[in-house]
């Protein structure tokens, strides 16, 4: 039988991670289930960014590149993120955006393959991958005379692991469904076929335990503004396996990736190590905010780190699924994420069965009005059965309680039971964002 | 005869732009001649960034993409910058870094030329260009099977304006010497040869009047953290002429440059207009700070705008040159920037004659200790005659007074006359930044 609210309160009272919530400034009355889109504000961020603005920029000006360590921030924060990813120090760098970092690593991977075996001309990815990854891959495929081949399900990947495959490029946790790839197994399969493996960790970093070195991945990139709580548009990160870092080249060869940027030499010489994946001058204010976000995850290290966070995340998503099905199943709510927690990231997606399939957007809006913030992702109008409209909910164990999960389901029940979503103010207007 | 300090004070008292200085928070006791490296902090910035952090991010969270207009910021600030550049609304976008934007526009220009005339395979630029421009150009030259040809003086460009030239890529104001190209004449010459013209405006935007449309330029990019006062690592900008914008493609094809980013479609379709030059999610905190910086320049519009700022800039640099030569000429100080103001941006560089040529770094450090902040740029050790070590001084009319210029020269005189620079604490230690 499913839990009652007092059971959830009891779980919260014995939750060893509960105190981590005090690191954040959450708006009152909000149950925030959208940390997979934009992480919440850490309490430390405002003060830290003010310090950068008022003291480091305003008073110390240009010398802060040295005295405040600005020049080292991309590597320093990269190393902190690396602790969440099974990376060794010096393997992870903060730079630019996720899209740009993907361009760098995918280009580097294709160049390596071109040099090793020019016949490998295929990039395989999933049609359900986050679109920017596909756009970047298509751009590079055109540039390299390669072909981007998309599959519609993970099972279709195995037959494509052949001697034409240059790079397998996957997002570990799907942004829509929350489907979680087995990083080690998939990487091993790619390598067995002679391909290189590129991982997008946008929905993994800070959400699930990742061990890039244990999985023997080749390249990885990810996002700073989701589970890492780095703030809107926070800089992204890039990781490269030690076996490639000194031999690979990336085309966005800006001065910050140069071996000696302040020698101002005419010819490009890549920096040793991961710094060669830097390009231009980093956006310092956003960079400083990112560090505060990453620190909120490192604060969990004495409590068990990502393993403990994952344990709570699974418990939260299991609870959400159980409560939703018990309470809202008869109202047409269906699970649209993997039921097996081992195949699911830190999110749960729901869809609505006919005749409610077009109510999803309005239901999400009605929930938001009630203070339960999730988001809507449109399905494929041509094949709603296969790709339904979804209600997407992220579960961040750093600041989410079991009681909030209970209350969120109760709100969903009310929205559906009382047909609140039918109010005209919840109808989609213009561009859906 | 040269001016005295009381003459400078009189100039300040009648300076119609003097009040613009109240827009900034400058550290006490500092004469800041490094606004061409990192612009100073506008008073409005701290409050604005706090608003973004505490309210827009912290309280309003994900909905700020719509309610706070985050999604429109790159175009809104781009249009403000465009007012300084002779751009029409919709032609300028804020995005990424200068290096990345150069990659986009140079790639777009080379693609256009490839489609028009595959025989054009040469990119011409100056060896003295800011290195990141050369690194990016070299990277793209390799990708396009093109050749990057560098000249050692502007006079060497004319013979290269032939039917092999694909793109002429110049930085309008040289980062070392301050040499100022005639944008209209150079663009016309490039076009007459069938080439496309790419301008780097890193040391132009906010420093000198620019009219990209009048000059008929093809592509332009520039920096947000120098004369635009956008803060350390502020996002950069990109401009494209209307005749190319709907036909050109850039390879950093991230979702923010998609026609409908929130449709999450599998195939890339570039946004209409300049937004196709966006890539990933912009760094919002740094973006918000940039707007405050740009606003400090727009505040000069009722006072004559860039034309008035340029007039004061020329007066400041002329005064600095005259005073330096009168006061410090006998101490070995030489002008290393063009003497003709029409060929000089908003900066003045000095070099030191033998036997002082290696004292430049220490002199800059001694000046900084006295509160006069300029910077040092190393020469070419193999040919110091042609490329000397330089003392570089930027003159920002928004916040610099004539009296400060007078005092700066007096400090330079004292540093040299009293040989303060010989103190061991001013010796170069390790990496020169």
């Amino acid at each position: 039988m499913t839990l009652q609210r007092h059971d959830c309160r009891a779980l919260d009272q014995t939750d060893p991670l509960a105190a981590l919530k005090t690191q954040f400034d959450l708006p009152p009355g909000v149950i925030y289930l959208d940390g997979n889109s934009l992480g919440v504000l850490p309490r430390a961020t405002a003060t830290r960014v003010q310090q950068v603005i008022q003291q480091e920029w305003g008073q110390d000006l240009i010398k802060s590149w040295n005295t405040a360590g600005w020049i080292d921030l991309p590597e320093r924060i990269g190393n902190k993120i690396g602790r969440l990813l099974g990376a060794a120090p010096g393997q992870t760098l903060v730079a630019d955006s996720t899209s740009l970092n993907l361009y760098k690593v995918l280009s580097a991977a294709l160049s390596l393959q071109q040099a090793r075996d020019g016949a490998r001309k295929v990039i395989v990815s999933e049609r359900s991958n986050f679109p920017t990854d596909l756009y970047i891959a298509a751009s590079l495929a055109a540039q390299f005379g390669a072909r981007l081949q998309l599959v519609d399900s993970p099972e279709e990947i195995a037959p494509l692991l052949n001697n034409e495959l240059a790079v397998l490029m996957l997002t570990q946790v799907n942004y829509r469904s929350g489907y979680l790839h087995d990083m080690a197994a998939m990487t091993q399969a790619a390598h067995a076929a002679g391909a290189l493996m590129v991982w997008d960790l946008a929905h993994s970093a800070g959400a699930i335990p990742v061990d890039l070195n244990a999985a023997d991945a080749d390249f990885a990139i990810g996002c700073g503004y989701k589970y890492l709580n780095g703030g809107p548009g926070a800089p992204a990160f890039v990781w490269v396996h030690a076996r490639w870092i000194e031999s690979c080249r990336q085309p966005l060869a800006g001065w910050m990736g140069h071996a000696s940027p302040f020698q101002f030499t005419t010819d490009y010489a890549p920096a040793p190590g991961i710094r060669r994946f830097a390009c231009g001058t980093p956006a310092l204010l956003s960079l400083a905010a990112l560090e505060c976000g990453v620190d909120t995850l490192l604060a969990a290290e004495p409590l068990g780190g990502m393993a403990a966070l994952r344990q709570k995340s699974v418990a939260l998503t299991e609870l959400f699924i159980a409560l939703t099905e018990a309470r809202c199943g008869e109202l047409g709510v269906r699970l649209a994420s993997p039921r097996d927690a081992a195949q699911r990231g830190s999110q749960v997606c729901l869809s609505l069965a006919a005749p409610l399939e077009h109510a999803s957007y309005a239901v999400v809006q009605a929930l938001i009005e009630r203070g339960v913030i999730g988001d809507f992702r449109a399905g494929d109008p041509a094949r709603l059965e296969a790709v339904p409209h979804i209600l997407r909910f992220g579960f961040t164990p750093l600041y989410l309680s079991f009681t909030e999960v209970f209350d969120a389901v109760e709100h969903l029940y009310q929205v559906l039971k009382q047909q609140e979503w039918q109010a005209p103010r919840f109808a989609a207007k213009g561009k859906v964002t």
Side-chain angles (χ1 to χ4, degrees), chain A:
Chain A
M1 69 173 253
T2 53
L3 299 187
Q4 302 300 307
R5 194 170 196 273
H6 63 83
D7 301 316
C8 293
R9 289 176 59 189
L11 285 173
D12 287 330
Q13 277 154 12
T14 58
D15 173 13
L17 303 180
L20 293 169
K21 183 174 185 168
T22 60
Q23 298 184 98
F24 300 96
D25 271 327
L26 284 155
V30 159
I31 300 174
Y32 193 64
L33 304 178
D34 215 1
N36 51 336
S37 183
L38 174 65
V40 300
L41 171 63
R43 281 193 204 282
T45 305
T47 303
R48 171 66 184 131
V49 175
Q50 277 308 293
Q51 180 190 34
V52 174
I53 293 176
Q54 303 275 20
Q55 182 62 42
E56 298 181 9
W57 172 17
Q59 295 299 305
D60 301 338
L61 287 157
I62 199 71
K63 72 178 175 199
S64 286
W65 281 105
N66 295 309
T67 56
W70 286 355
I71 197 73
D72 300 318
L73 270 188
E75 285 175 277
R76 186 172 92 196
I77 306 174
N79 283 335
K80 286 186 174 186
I81 295 172
R83 281 155 63 180
L84 307 172
L85 305 177
Q91 293 184 331
T92 316
L93 185 80
V94 171
D96 302 319
S97 66
T98 312
S99 303
L100 288 164
N101 288 336
L102 181 61
Y103 188 89
K104 298 172 193 170
V105 300
L106 186 54
S107 179
L110 290 168
S111 296
L112 284 168
Q113 288 290 43
Q114 203 169 45
R116 295 203 303 188
D117 180 356
R120 291 183 180 270
K121 287 288 190 190
V122 177
I123 305 164
V124 165
S125 195
E126 295 181 279
R127 198 178 310 281
S128 63
N129 201 342
F130 189 71
T132 206
D133 292 34
L134 303 182
Y135 304 156
I136 294 290
S139 176
L140 284 169
Q143 189 187 118
F144 278 82
R147 181 165 55 85
L148 174 61
Q149 181 156 356
L150 303 181
V151 300
D152 285 306
S153 78
E155 295 73 37
E156 293 175 32
I157 294 173
L160 299 172
L161 301 174
N162 55 37
N163 60 10
E164 291 189 338
L165 183 65
V167 177
L168 179 58
M169 177 189 89
L170 296 173
T171 296
Q172 191 190 12
V173 177
N174 188 275
Y175 82 104
R176 277 180 57 94
S177 68
Y179 178 87
L180 167 60
H181 282 288
D182 181 332
M183 177 180 280
M186 199 58 90
T187 302
Q188 191 177 20
H191 286 175
L196 292 172
M197 185 74 229
V198 172
W199 287 106
D200 180 341
L201 305 179
H203 293 264
S204 306
I208 59 171
V210 173
D211 196 335
L212 287 164
N213 280 313
D216 202 32
D218 297 297
F219 299 91
I221 52 102
C223 177
Y225 57 78
K226 298 179 186 293
Y227 294 97
L228 296 183
N229 305 312
F237 64 85
V238 51
W239 172 92
V240 176
H241 193 282
R243 69 175 157 269
W244 301 125
I245 190 63
E246 299 302 336
S247 60
C248 72
R249 293 285 286 250
Q250 62 92 2
L252 305 179
W255 70 312
M256 283 291 167
H258 191 279
S260 304
F262 295 98
Q263 295 284 329
F264 301 101
T265 58
T266 306
D267 295 321
Y268 185 73
I274 192 66
R275 201 161 59 71
R276 69 181 56 190
F277 280 78
C279 183
T281 310
L284 248 294
L285 307 189
S286 290
L287 199 54
L290 172 60
E291 185 164 27
C292 298
V294 175
D295 284 343
T296 64
L297 288 146
L298 299 185
E301 284 185 342
L303 305 169
M306 285 309 307
L309 288 168
R310 171 66 173 167
Q311 191 177 16
K312 181 175 172 186
S313 159
V314 169
L316 293 169
T317 55
E318 296 280 75
L319 175 66
F320 183 76
I321 292 169
L323 291 172
T324 301
E325 294 193 325
R327 190 81 168 131
C328 307
E330 289 182 5
L331 297 173
V333 174
R334 300 289 176 265
L335 179 64
S337 292
R339 187 171 297 276
D340 178 2
Q343 293 192 332
R344 194 176 63 228
S346 200
Q347 72 183 67
V348 175
C349 296
L350 306 175
S351 64
L352 299 176
L356 286 181
E357 64 266 49
H358 294 291
S360 307
Y361 177 82
V363 169
V364 169
Q365 301 313 308
L367 280 171
I368 290 172
E369 191 174 276
R370 281 173 163 267
V372 180
I373 302 181
D375 58 28
F376 165 81
R377 287 291 177 263
D380 184 341
R383 42 185 200 126
L384 275 185
E385 272 304 311
V387 187
H389 299 310
I390 58 170
L391 299 74
R392 191 176 73 150
F393 303 101
F395 293 83
T396 309
L398 279 178
Y399 50 78
L400 210 60
S401 70
F402 293 93
T403 309
E404 285 178 300
V405 170
F406 184 93
D407 291 345
V409 175
E410 190 60 24
H411 283 295
L412 177 60
Y413 173 79
Q414 296 295 339
V415 164
L416 291 166
K417 185 73 180 174
Q418 302 179 29
Q419 305 205 352
E420 283 179 14
W421 60 269
Q422 292 207 349
R425 68 184 178 281
F426 299 134
K429 288 186 290 286
K431 191 172 65 176
V432 174
T433 57

